[in-house]
Amino acid sequence: MKGASAAAAAGIAAVCAVVFLEASGESAVHPFPTVGVLMANGEHWCTASVVDSPKGNVVATAAHCVAPAGEDGRPGEVAHDGLAIGELSFAPAFSGEGSGTQPLGVWKVRSIHVDDRWTKYGDETADYAFLTIDPDEDGRSVQQRVGRGEAPKPDWTSGYERDVTVVGYPESEHNPQNKPVSCTTQTRHDESDPDMLYISCAGFWTGTSGSPWIADRGATGRPGRLIGVLSGGDTDVDSTAALYDEKAKALYDRAARG
């Protein structure tokens, strides 16, 4: 898995090359303000993203970023890399070296919602999670802060072949300035596990887990449909995701209720 590691975060590549998204002009421009780093004890840990919800309080990421994998019906004790996950928070549009900057704030994770298939059996087809995010001190939701029209709606009935844009943050070793990167390509069935989505793009380094896979994204006002999040992959070129389904919707509904 390209999972969480302290001081590592999620990142993405393009079909032929990694595209690092640059800010231009006097003020920062964030092409994907909904995407940011999931922090554990204040450290860059994974990628996560705001998904459209009635209260504007839901963020999507990978299950292994927020809960240990179970085995044979028993819960796991630590994350797959052997580290404790720690206290979680979310920083959309994060950038900068080291601790970086959080132009849209740091948001407290109130609760996590993960499928029992993951927490008991480590089932990769359930490697997705939804987080309920507390409002800020002014009572605003995280979706209000990033822009209500920016967050993709979830798609629970997607097919396996879709044109997607994937956005995230590579680990700091390969991305010391913590710039978000983007990949636009087509998904298909993973040959080794046909129940999983697959893309091929160089540059998916360790820590890319949780990056959103967004279909049908267009110009302003067309934020697209979220069909899954990056789960794993054997190399930095091969990446997989669990396709959202009715079980994912049940978790999302729980998170959206707050």
Side-chain angles (χ1 to χ4, degrees):
M1 283 184 184
K2 302 167 185 178
S5 60
I12 306 304
V15 179
C16 298
V18 176
V19 177
F20 283 81
L21 303 179
E22 299 280 358
S24 60
E26 295 182 1
S27 60
V29 175
H30 303 287
F32 296 91
T34 59
V35 184
V37 298
L38 184 67
M39 295 182 174
N41 293 335
E43 293 287 338
H44 197 169
W45 183 253
C46 271
T47 288
S49 61
V50 180
V51 57
D52 184 62
S53 64
K55 296 181 181 178
N57 61 345
V58 179
V59 161
T61 192
H64 74 264
C65 291
V66 297
E71 186 175 358
D72 299 327
R74 298 187 301 273
E77 295 182 0
V78 294
H80 73 278
D81 55 8
L83 299 175
I85 292 173
E87 183 177 351
L88 297 170
S89 58
F90 173 60
F94 181 90
S95 64
E97 296 184 9
S99 59
T101 60
Q102 301 89 32
L104 301 180
V106 177
W107 299 76
K108 182 180 178 180
V109 175
R110 177 189 299 174
S111 58
I112 66 173
H113 304 273
V114 183
D115 196 299
D116 286 348
R117 292 175 297 154
W118 174 260
T119 55
K120 291 183 177 180
Y121 302 100
D123 184 345
E124 290 191 0
T125 63
D127 191 7
Y128 44 65
F130 294 96
L131 315 179
T132 304
I133 305 297
D134 275 338
D136 67 10
E137 58 185 14
D138 296 321
R140 292 176 301 181
S141 71
V142 67
Q143 190 172 343
Q144 285 177 297
R145 186 68 181 91
V146 303
R148 271 226 169 250
E150 298 285 346
K153 295 182 180 297
D155 187 341
W156 313 118
T157 59
S158 175
Y160 278 84
E161 295 184 0
R162 300 288 293 274
D163 290 328
V164 296
T165 297
V166 188
V167 184
Y169 292 77
E171 62 180 348
S172 57
E173 178 182 351
H174 297 96
N175 180 26
Q177 294 184 350
N178 289 313
K179 294 179 180 178
V181 294
S182 172
C183 165
T184 298
T185 187
Q186 187 174 55
T187 65
R188 59 178 172 85
H189 289 274
D190 181 30
E191 290 182 0
S192 60
D193 186 352
D195 290 329
M196 299 289 285
L197 290 170
Y198 171 87
I199 61 171
S200 177
C201 291
F204 284 70
W205 304 106
T206 300
T208 59
S209 300
S211 302
W213 294 35
I214 306 168
D216 303 333
R217 180 176 171 83
T220 302
R222 292 179 54 198
R225 309 282 293 189
L226 186 65
I227 67 171
V229 296
L230 195 148
S231 172
D234 294 333
T235 72
D236 70 303
V237 174
D238 305 305
S239 295
T240 60
L243 187 66
Y244 282 166
D245 55 14
E246 287 301 311
K247 294 182 176 68
K249 183 179 184 300
L251 296 178
Y252 165 88
D253 288 342
R254 279 166 39 192
R257 288 195 294 268

